[in-house]
Amino acid sequence: MEDPWQKAYDFAVTVARKAGEVIRKAGESEIKVSTKSSTVDLVTKTDERVEKIIIGSLKEEFGEGTHCFIGEESVAKGEPCILTHKPTWIIDPVDGTTNFVHGFPFVAVSIAFAVNKQLEFGVIYSCLEDKMYKARNGKGAYCDDELIQVSDVKDINKSIIISEHGTDRSPEKVKKIFSTMQKILCIPVHGLRGSGTAATNMCLVATGAVEAFFEIGIHCWDIAAGAVIVKEAGGVLLDVDGGPFDLMSRRMVSANNEVIARRIIKEIEIFSAERDDDMCEIQLE
Ligand SMILES: O=P(O)(O)O[C@@H]1[C@H](O)[C@@H](O)[C@H](O)[C@@H](O)[C@@H]1O
Ligand SMILES: [Mg+2]
């Protein structure tokens, strides 16, 4: 029987690489000459431009109307953020926007694809490192053409944990974020890290470079592709309260094994973040 999504998967890799080249060029030419403040406007234009290229390419290849799109920039402009049963692309055109503004070398194009509300595949192109991470449901996870596996570390005292403080600077949230990080550091673990992009952090879990990534405040487009890649690399995904992973919940833990995931969950001070699908007024089918 023909594999219905192989063509879409291969095309997603091509589009991610094309988007990465646009980001690199923007970084080399436009960002260098501008001051940090004007850079931010420029980068928003880059984010929007890259998302338009990605969605435009997908619509051209698969036709208008047959597929749905959840893109960070489109949602920011009021497009719905609801996962229906239709084939749906979940896109973060520039994950690590703040990194990009500052020339901090972790910026990722994240493209995921879901059918019947199930994630089918994920592609993350770390465009400044020129590394293509990808995974299809049930077919393993790869960095370029090399199979990748999560870490085999069992003891959390021998682990590196990666997380982010996000963009919210409200004192009560910042306090909980850093109190959580302090508790995890003092378990103790070998170290805490953060690349500045959830997509890249999840690839680091999938390659075994770190044992776990958690964050509250991310969006579905930050983690959808990484979720497939971590799972296919042998990792686990949970909600920060220990329940099942929920793509739209704005929170998650991904780890190399469930013991380490649940040990981290014990230390997380949970704060609320409005669900991605609640942020949208329009309720689709
Ligand atoms: O820097 P941006 O891209 O605006 O935001 C970041 C990423 O989107 C996200 O992946 C990361 O986890 C988050 O903490 C950070 O704010
Ligand atoms: Mg992002």
Side-chain angles (χ1 to χ4, degrees):
M1 186 175 85
E2 199 227 344
D3 175 347
W5 306 122
Q6 186 61 38
K7 182 181 168 213
Y9 178 58
D10 294 339
F11 190 73
V13 171
T14 306
V15 169
R17 196 175 295 283
K18 181 169 90 174
E21 275 149 31
V22 172
I23 293 169
R24 271 202 300 272
K25 284 204 177 71
E28 283 151 20
S29 58
E30 298 152 354
I31 299 284
K32 199 180 290 178
V33 299
S34 52
T35 59
K36 287 276 164 72
S37 50
S38 61
T39 300
V40 178
D41 303 340
L42 195 65
V43 168
T44 314
K45 289 195 193 71
T46 302
D47 290 35
E48 287 169 8
R49 183 155 57 99
V50 172
E51 187 167 302
K52 275 203 183 79
I53 290 168
I54 294 170
I55 294 180
S57 305
L58 293 170
K59 284 183 174 176
E60 194 181 326
E61 182 74 12
F62 300 106
E64 293 263 353
T66 47
H67 290 190
C68 295
F69 299 89
I70 296 176
E72 178 172 7
E73 304 311 316
S74 316
V75 171
K77 290 201 192 104
E79 290 290 316
C81 185
I82 300 277
L83 195 53
T84 67
H85 288 83
K86 287 184 177 173
T88 303
W89 297 88
I90 305 166
I91 298 158
D92 188 343
V94 183
D95 191 37
T97 299
T98 308
N99 287 352
F100 181 60
V101 170
H102 291 270
F104 189 76
F106 297 103
V107 180
V109 179
S110 183
I111 300 175
F113 184 68
V115 184
N116 293 325
K117 298 190 178 184
Q118 295 299 317
L119 289 168
E120 187 59 44
F121 61 69
V123 172
I124 295 173
Y125 181 44
S126 180
C127 59
L128 303 186
E129 295 180 283
D130 188 22
K131 287 184 177 180
M132 183 69 73
Y133 298 90
K134 59 193 181 189
R136 275 205 66 186
N137 236 352
K139 296 180 184 262
Y142 294 83
C143 177
D144 297 325
D145 293 323
E146 196 184 320
L147 202 62
I148 54 177
Q149 279 288 328
V150 294
S151 157
D152 61 3
V153 166
K154 301 279 181 284
D155 179 356
I156 192 157
N157 299 133
K158 297 188 173 67
S159 70
I160 289 186
I161 309 300
I162 203 161
S163 188
E164 302 290 336
H165 49 66
T167 47
D168 192 316
R169 295 292 180 269
S170 54
E172 68 279 4
K173 285 186 183 171
V174 169
K175 189 163 178 284
K176 287 193 176 215
I177 288 167
F178 282 95
S179 168
T180 298
M181 287 195 185
Q182 182 181 353
K183 291 196 292 182
I184 288 176
L185 190 61
C186 299
I187 287 176
V189 296
H190 273 181
L192 277 179
R193 301 288 187 273
S195 74
T197 124
T200 304
N201 291 339
M202 295 179 84
C203 292
L204 291 167
V205 174
T207 61
V210 301
E211 277 65 45
F213 163 63
F214 72 94
E215 186 172 354
I216 300 176
I218 28 98
H219 290 279
C220 60
W221 45 77
D222 292 318
I223 59 170
V228 186
I229 293 168
V230 165
K231 187 175 72 65
E232 286 302 314
V236 298
L237 300 156
L238 289 170
D239 193 334
V240 292
D241 63 3
F245 171 66
D246 176 352
L247 179 64
M248 294 292 179
S249 67
R250 305 275 314 278
R251 58 194 217 180
M252 55 96 58
V253 178
S254 56
N256 62 330
N257 64 59
E258 190 162 344
V259 171
I260 284 187
R262 292 195 180 281
R263 181 65 188 84
I264 291 168
I265 285 168
K266 278 170 70 174
E267 308 300 346
I268 295 176
E269 293 186 28
I270 297 175
F271 56 87
S272 64
E274 191 185 4
R275 290 180 60 87
D276 278 326
D277 43 13
D278 284 356
M279 290 192 303
C280 153
E281 281 79 54
I282 318 153
Q283 293 300 330
L284 302 177
E285 59 169 329

